[in-house]
Amino acid sequence: MDIDVVVEDVMSFDPELLQLPEVSPVAFKASPQIAEDLFSQWLSLSETGRLVKSLVDDAKTGASFNALGNSFNVNAAGSTSLPSMFPAGSAPPLSPRSSSGSPRVSKQRTSPSSLSSPLKLVSEPVREIIPQFYFQNGRPPPKELKEQCLYRTDNFFNSHMDGLQIHEFKLVTKEICKLPSFFSSALFRKIDMECTGIVNRDAFIKYWIDGNILTMDTETKIFEILRQPGCKYLTQIDFKPVLLELLSTHPGLEFLQSTPEFQERYAETVIYRIFYYINRSGNGRLTLRELKRGNLVAAMQHADEEDDINKVMRFFSYEHFYVVYCKFWELDSDHDFLIDKENLIKYGNHALTYRIVDRIFSQVPRKFTSKIEGKMGYEDFVYFMLSEEDKSSEPSLEYWFKCIDLDSNGVITPNEMQFFYEEQLHRMECMALEPVPFEDILCQIVDMIAPEREDYVTLRDLKGCKLSGNVFNILFNLNKFMAFESRDPFLIRQEREDPTLTDWDRFAHREYIRLSMEEDGEDVSNGSAEVWDESLEAPF
């Protein structure tokens, strides 16, 4: 709205009416309306209208202004001054504080004239360019890396202008993609989505470079190659093509080609071992995070470089498979590939108690995959055997902790320990051994574990102690309990000389020697009258 129009429509007042020096403060206090009338009269003055209009114009143009200075100038031009609000000599005294602390001085310091007008237009800030950090299909490869890959690809495909068949693709997998050679078939089929049987240069570049697979770490590359489209995890069946190619190409497994049934069992055992150690959630769905946290990729690369597969003790050793399969076959008396409680109770020369076997078949530590009531399948046995023979691993500690935790409340109490130890105590008495009271056993367990609270033991307590496996042996495996009690300290130190070997590695090595000697017809006993014979537990 135009200020001049407003001013012309308002009644003009005589400026002399504003000169009221004789009005006392008492009158203002008694009649507050007087101050409002005076302010209204001041607003109606033509000089006031010109002042307001000039301030608005300055604000529109962005020019700085001094409201106090302008008001003084207007009044001076009109030869009129605003009357004093207080009669002469009636103004309130100043604060006794120093001038630096005076409210009036402080107010003057922060006046609009000293800080420039708040209505002044601010220039548009310079926009900071933020580099792209999210890429829907992954970060594209750096120029140098892309050029190197293209150079190697061109050199290889120049001699194969028509493309490569699946049996010719291994060098691309190993030399260009830097993956284990037994991923060749899986990678080939991932690129050849239309099943033409041929992968040419353009198809490879589209998948490997344009698809940004080149920039991924090895674990992510393997995950992307193995997983099914639209799936965010790996299942056991996703590993089968890789294991089948390993069996058909690895020199250390060549002897199995004449026995395809054992090839299948070997592949299954390797996959079960992978999921036992790597799939920590235990749901059969291996995520990328789990794959990165495990040591599977390193084991695969080791298997690709090592001609003796038995030296790859993580997951791939044939000797380890042989031990597992022979143990299962020994217990499976009717060879229906299922075992029941009576079969399992014979494991380790009747080393386990009936109570712990009952807990295993109640499927508390792990649901059986056999889907047959009261029967354990081969996969279930693999999980059990790995847990039984290496109680120092985290999967094993979790397996047995669930068994002993009768009420599933996350802690093991002395009463729960005593429940399982009672059968151990009875077995000692039946074998004319000196029984060890539970009170002494409990003190020994507390000393070994050093739990945060002495009235119960948590899984965290067990994982923080190197001797945790012996606690479970004390509670339900008499053979290993007695072997631990009678072992020579020298043998214990000898066991620890090679920290890369696990309890499972030592057990599998001993058992493979024993089983191979039995197969050769030598007289090697499966046990002795003293079922806790130290020789069965000593390191090789």
Side-chain angles (χ1 to χ4, degrees):
M1 181 182 292
D2 195 341
I3 300 298
D4 291 334
V5 178
V6 177
V7 173
E8 290 175 359
D9 293 339
V10 178
M11 183 186 299
S12 298
F13 288 86
D14 187 357
E16 295 297 330
L17 294 177
L18 295 177
Q19 306 297 325
L20 299 173
E22 301 301 327
V23 178
S24 66
V26 178
F28 276 112
K29 184 177 295 186
S31 301
Q33 187 64 31
I34 296 175
E36 295 182 8
D37 293 342
L38 290 174
F39 182 69
S40 299
Q41 292 179 27
W42 178 77
L43 284 177
S44 66
L45 298 176
S46 59
E47 291 85 352
T48 305
R50 285 191 295 271
L51 170 63
V52 174
K53 186 175 184 304
S54 67
L55 293 176
V56 172
D57 291 339
D58 290 343
K60 290 180 178 180
T61 60
S64 60
F65 64 92
N66 190 326
L68 294 178
N70 290 341
S71 65
F72 292 152
N73 293 338
V74 171
N75 290 329
S79 300
T80 58
S81 60
L82 290 176
S84 174
M85 293 296 294
F86 301 96
S90 64
L94 294 174
S95 171
R97 291 175 295 176
S98 63
S99 60
S100 62
S102 172
R104 298 185 182 183
V105 175
S106 300
K107 185 175 182 179
Q108 185 177 2
R109 287 176 179 173
T110 58
S111 65
S113 60
S114 62
L115 296 178
S116 76
S117 171
L119 298 178
K120 182 178 180 180
L121 294 178
V122 180
S123 60
E124 186 177 354
V126 180
R127 292 186 178 181
E128 181 182 357
I129 300 177
I130 300 176
Q132 184 177 354
F133 57 88
Y134 172 74
F135 301 88
Q136 184 176 2
N137 298 318
R139 181 178 295 276
K143 182 179 179 181
E144 183 180 354
L145 180 62
K146 181 177 180 179
E147 290 177 350
Q148 291 177 357
C149 186
L150 285 172
Y151 177 76
R152 293 196 303 267
T153 303
D154 290 339
N155 287 342
F156 191 86
F157 278 91
N158 282 340
S159 56
H160 302 82
M161 299 301 294
D162 296 332
L164 297 171
Q165 296 182 13
I166 191 168
H167 64 275
E168 302 172 315
F169 201 69
K170 182 174 292 188
L171 283 178
V172 176
T173 305
K174 190 173 180 65
E175 301 298 332
I176 298 179
C177 301
K178 306 299 182 183
L179 293 174
S181 60
F182 49 88
F183 273 81
S184 176
S185 298
L187 178 58
F188 185 93
R189 294 188 179 96
K190 199 75 173 182
I191 300 174
D192 184 26
M193 296 293 293
E194 298 180 358
C195 302
T196 62
I198 295 291
V199 168
N200 56 31
R201 173 190 177 278
D202 293 340
F204 175 76
I205 290 176
K206 180 180 179 181
Y207 177 80
W208 192 256
I209 299 179
D210 297 343
N212 300 329
I213 306 295
L214 174 62
T215 60
M216 297 177 180
D217 55 70
T218 307
E219 289 81 2
T220 308
K221 291 175 183 176
I222 289 176
F223 186 83
E224 289 296 321
I225 292 171
L226 295 182
R227 74 181 181 94
Q228 298 299 318
C231 198
K232 297 182 179 180
Y233 53 82
L234 300 178
T235 61
Q236 292 185 3
I237 198 171
D238 293 330
F239 286 89
K240 283 205 169 182
V242 177
L243 268 298
L244 292 178
E245 185 170 3
L246 176 70
L247 282 162
S248 62
T249 59
H250 199 283
L253 297 170
E254 186 178 357
F255 68 96
L256 277 179
Q257 293 182 6
S258 59
T259 54
E261 67 275 12
F262 287 110
Q263 283 187 320
E264 183 178 354
R265 294 293 174 233
Y266 170 82
E268 289 177 351
T269 306
V270 171
I271 293 173
Y272 297 154
R273 292 182 66 186
I274 289 172
F275 275 76
Y276 174 82
Y277 287 105
I278 307 298
N279 181 214
R280 303 299 297 114
S281 60
N283 59 0
R285 298 179 175 183
L286 187 63
T287 64
L288 177 59
R289 170 177 284 189
E290 290 174 327
L291 183 62
K292 288 185 175 183
R293 294 178 62 182
N295 54 6
L296 176 60
V297 173
M300 287 179 168
Q301 292 171 335
H302 186 195
D304 194 41
E305 298 166 359
E306 178 59 61
D307 290 340
D308 186 356
I309 196 67
N310 292 318
K311 292 182 178 180
V312 190
M313 288 182 285
R314 288 176 296 180
F315 312 115
F316 294 98
S317 171
Y318 176 80
E319 290 183 356
H320 291 189
F321 153 73
Y322 185 86
V323 170
V324 174
Y325 187 81
C326 287
K327 284 287 185 180
F328 181 83
W329 192 253
E330 287 176 356
L331 297 177
D332 182 18
S333 55
D334 55 0
H335 301 313
D336 61 350
F337 228 63
L338 296 169
I339 59 178
D340 55 20
K341 288 183 182 180
E342 295 303 319
N343 298 138
L344 191 62
I345 203 69
K346 300 174 184 178
Y347 182 85
N349 199 6
H350 296 79
L352 303 175
T353 63
Y354 282 96
R355 290 183 178 181
I356 199 64
V357 172
D358 287 339
R359 288 291 285 174
I360 294 170
F361 275 83
S362 67
Q363 304 182 41
V364 171
R366 183 178 183 273
K367 295 293 183 182
F368 287 171
T369 59
S370 64
K371 307 300 181 183
I372 300 177
E373 185 67 25
K375 297 287 186 177
M376 172 188 284
Y378 180 64
E379 179 180 351
D380 309 314
F381 178 79
V382 172
Y383 273 70
F384 156 76
M385 188 171 179
L386 292 174
S387 300
E388 168 59 24
E389 300 303 340
D390 187 3
K391 295 188 176 74
S392 62
S393 67
E394 286 197 5
S396 175
L397 294 176
E398 294 171 4
Y399 186 96
W400 297 118
F401 185 91
K402 293 176 183 177
C403 287
I404 305 300
D405 184 14
L406 294 173
D407 52 6
S408 301
N409 64 346
V411 298
I412 296 177
T413 62
N415 288 338
E416 290 169 327
M417 297 182 197
Q418 187 172 12
F419 172 78
F420 287 95
Y421 184 72
E422 283 175 353
E423 188 174 350
Q424 290 279 69
L425 194 61
H426 176 69
R427 296 175 77 189
M428 291 184 208
E429 293 172 349
C430 292
M431 297 177 66
L433 299 173
E434 181 180 356
V436 183
F438 176 72
E439 291 74 14
D440 296 342
I441 290 297
L442 182 60
C443 291
Q444 185 178 2
I445 291 175
V446 171
D447 289 341
M448 281 193 299
I449 302 301
E452 292 184 7
R453 293 183 52 173
E454 293 189 0
D455 53 339
Y456 60 76
V457 175
T458 65
L459 182 60
R460 179 179 179 180
D461 295 329
L462 293 172
K463 288 184 177 181
C465 177
K466 294 181 179 180
L467 299 175
S468 298
N470 296 309
V471 173
F472 296 120
N473 290 333
I474 291 172
L475 297 179
F476 56 76
N477 190 316
L478 183 60
N479 294 5
K480 292 185 177 181
F481 171 38
M482 300 306 296
F484 175 75
E485 289 291 313
S486 60
R487 292 183 78 178
D488 188 339
F490 174 76
L491 296 177
I492 299 176
R493 288 194 300 271
Q494 188 180 21
E495 242 181 30
R496 301 292 178 254
E497 285 182 358
D498 190 349
T500 61
L501 294 178
T502 64
D503 291 343
W504 166 258
D505 296 331
R506 297 185 179 95
F507 165 80
H509 182 81
R510 294 194 305 268
E511 283 299 303
Y512 182 78
I513 292 175
R514 183 183 69 82
L515 291 170
S516 61
M517 292 175 68
E518 284 185 352
E519 189 172 333
D520 291 339
E522 295 192 25
D523 184 17
V524 177
S525 174
N526 188 35
S528 64
E530 296 179 310
V531 293
W532 61 89
D533 190 294
E534 183 175 298
S535 62
L536 295 178
E537 299 299 323
F540 54 89

